């Protein structure tokens, strides 16, 4: 098993259980405990997990700790950049001249802006970190009302979802925190779920961009069932669903 796939499985196990011992990880991945120890050291160096005595856990920010906004932002937006850009590039290729689109705040969806080539489009977004790109490209942009969540670089509030519920989109690009066969597409935030649901209800076509590390991960709030959107991802899911596979770089 390649290191990248093993790390993805370790992240998935920790996301589901919160923590795991070296022995548990070794047994589940069918590799030696020495290999797991080495993996955990490297993963902690890259701010992917937190090492514990005899095991590891997810980072506090993954459990909803919002005290360290800057660290949370850096963690989300600096990992697996090339994969995220590959997914975003494909998403941008679906945008046609004259479309009205929504781009969700997220570490993958926010990459779409730099690859947009269509002209005369109207764009609505709650992703505050892409304003400079939209300005450079002179894209007509609308920003919904709300407060700033610095950990996710997102504008969100109950007012945000209410405003989006009155708009109509040809295309919408959403992010997700987890993809589960029964729970569907999920997120950790109730406000984020409400925003995504408002957009889904008003979009002719909705695409969800996600790395394959989020398969079999379930967060607290479901915002869509698996058949309500098309997934753009970089690996086959372990269950049947409508998806577009993009080759990883």
């Amino acid at each position: 098993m390649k290191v990248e796939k093993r790390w993805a499985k370790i992240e998935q196990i920790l996301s589901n259980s919160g923590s795991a011992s070296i022995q548990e990880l070794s047994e589940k991945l069918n590799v030696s405990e020495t290999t797991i120890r080495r993996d955990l050291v490297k993963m902690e160096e890259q701010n992917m997990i937190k090492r514990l005595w005899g095991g590891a856990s997810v980072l506090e920010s993954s459990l909803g700790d919002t005290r360290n906004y800057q660290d949370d932002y850096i963690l989300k937006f600096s990992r697996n950049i090339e994969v995220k850009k590959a997914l975003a590039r494909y998403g941008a290729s679906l945008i046609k001249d004259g479309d009205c689109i929504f781009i969700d705040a997220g570490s993958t969806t926010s990459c779409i802006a730099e690859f947009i080539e269509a002209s005369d489009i109207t764009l609505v977004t709650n992703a505050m970190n892409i304003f400079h790109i939209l300005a450079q490209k002179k894209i007509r942009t609308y920003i919904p009302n709300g407060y700033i969540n610095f950990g996710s670089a997102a504008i969100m509030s109950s007012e945000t979802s209410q405003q989006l519920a009155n708009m109509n989109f040809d295309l919408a690009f959403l992010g997700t925190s987890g993809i589960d066969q029964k729970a569907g597409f999920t997120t950790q935030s109730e406000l984020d779920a409400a925003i995504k649901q408002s957009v889904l209800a008003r979009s002719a076509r909705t695409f969800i961009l996600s790395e394959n590390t989020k398969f079999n991960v379930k967060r607290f709030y479901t915002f869509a069932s698996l058949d309500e959107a098309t997934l753009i991802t970089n690996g086959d899911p372990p269950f049947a669903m409508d998806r577009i596979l993009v080759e990883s770089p």
Side-chain angles (χ1 to χ4, degrees), residues 88-101:
R89 185 182 291 107
Y90 184 90
S93 72
L94 302 174
I95 303 171
K96 306 304 180 185
D97 293 353
D99 277 348
C100 178
I101 67 172

Side-chain angles (χ1 to χ4, degrees), residues 140-158:
R140 186 186 306 111
T141 303
Y142 291 87
I143 309 299
N145 297 332
Y147 67 83
I148 298 172
N149 181 317
F150 290 101
S152 59
I155 298 171
M156 59 172 61
S157 71
S158 58

